[in-house]
Amino acid sequence: MFTGIVEELGEVTAVEQLEEASRFRLRGPLVTEGAKHGDSIAVNGVCLTVVETEDGEFTADVMQETLNRSSLGALAKGSRVNLERPMALGGRLGGHLVQGHVDGTGEIISRTPSEHWEIVKVALPQNLSRYVVEKGSITVDGVSLTVVEAAADWFTISLIPTTLALTTLGIKQSGDPVNLEVDVLAKYVERLLAAGVNPLHAAGDER
């Protein structure tokens, strides 16, 4: 489980194409500190398993399913990436609950800078539209953000200088793909309601 608070701006140092998979080597001295085989690290919001670590770098295998559902397939040597270690149990929840399971990809439509922040408009896949609401939470390339406006096929986010400086969202351009993860709680509620479950009774409320 992650929080969407990016810890480090990393870099892809190598990409090896395998049969129906890819092997990435990524540099991230902070997130690899103490990391070992089998640990999880979120890369642009995608939860990946560490295969090995060495000298501030780690290797992760990415299966075809992940490449199909995310923008990781577009990464190449030299690409910058957002990195985050899993949330420690009992730690502060700085963003919102993020699984690292990408629901789909969007595309940056436009960027509108202002004096103290920048508004970014992102295209929204139709199948995710119902989960995105004004003032709700969404994860974009692994960054926990608050939705400013939500329409049927797009939404906007407001980026502060810290986010622009410390994540890849500061260098993404119009037309660039981004990974999207919607709030998992909304998906659970939808599934329960579709099954005819009364949320009050499910919670043990017999009124």
Side-chain angles (χ1 to χ4, degrees):
M1 191 69 72
F2 304 89
T3 67
I5 303 299
V6 173
E7 295 185 275
E8 186 171 19
L9 192 56
E11 182 180 347
V12 178
T13 59
V15 179
E16 180 184 356
Q17 301 298 330
L18 307 173
E19 185 176 355
E20 296 186 346
S22 292
R23 174 165 292 177
F24 290 89
R25 188 158 188 84
L26 306 106
R27 178 160 183 77
L30 175 62
V31 299
T32 55
E33 185 177 338
K36 59 185 183 300
H37 173 78
D39 286 349
S40 296
I41 295 177
V43 178
N44 281 356
V46 182
C47 179
L48 298 181
T49 301
V50 174
V51 175
E52 60 182 9
T53 63
E54 183 179 5
D55 297 330
E57 298 187 349
F58 70 97
T59 300
D61 290 331
V62 183
M63 59 184 177
Q64 190 63 47
E65 172 73 5
T66 303
L67 295 172
N68 291 342
R69 288 181 173 267
S70 73
S71 64
L72 294 190
L75 295 179
K77 183 178 180 180
S79 295
R80 306 305 301 273
V81 290
N82 297 321
L83 301 175
E84 182 192 356
R85 291 170 291 188
M87 177 180 66
L89 188 63
R92 292 184 177 89
L93 183 62
H96 71 286
L97 292 176
V98 177
Q99 295 182 299
H101 301 162
V102 171
D103 293 302
T105 57
E107 182 179 297
I108 294 180
I109 299 173
S110 64
R111 307 184 67 115
T112 307
S114 65
E115 185 177 358
H116 299 294
W117 62 83
E118 187 166 340
I119 298 294
V120 178
K121 188 175 183 179
V122 182
L124 181 63
Q126 185 177 5
N127 65 312
L128 299 182
S129 179
R130 62 187 181 276
Y131 303 117
V132 181
V133 298
E134 183 178 328
K135 305 304 179 187
S137 296
I138 191 166
T139 308
V140 181
D141 267 0
V143 183
S144 173
L145 296 164
T146 299
V147 176
V148 177
E149 293 181 272
D153 57 358
W154 58 266
F155 66 94
T156 59
I157 48 178
S158 180
L159 305 181
I160 61 174
T162 297
T163 304
L164 293 169
L166 300 181
T167 75
T168 58
L169 296 183
I171 57 177
K172 291 275 186 175
Q173 302 296 320
S174 295
D176 285 346
V178 288
N179 293 320
L180 303 176
E181 181 182 340
V182 298
D183 192 343
V184 67
L185 298 180
K187 292 190 289 184
Y188 277 123
V189 170
E190 179 186 59
R191 185 63 179 265
L192 288 170
L193 292 176
V197 176
N198 186 316
L200 292 178
H201 289 170
D205 190 330
E206 299 299 333
R207 290 179 296 175

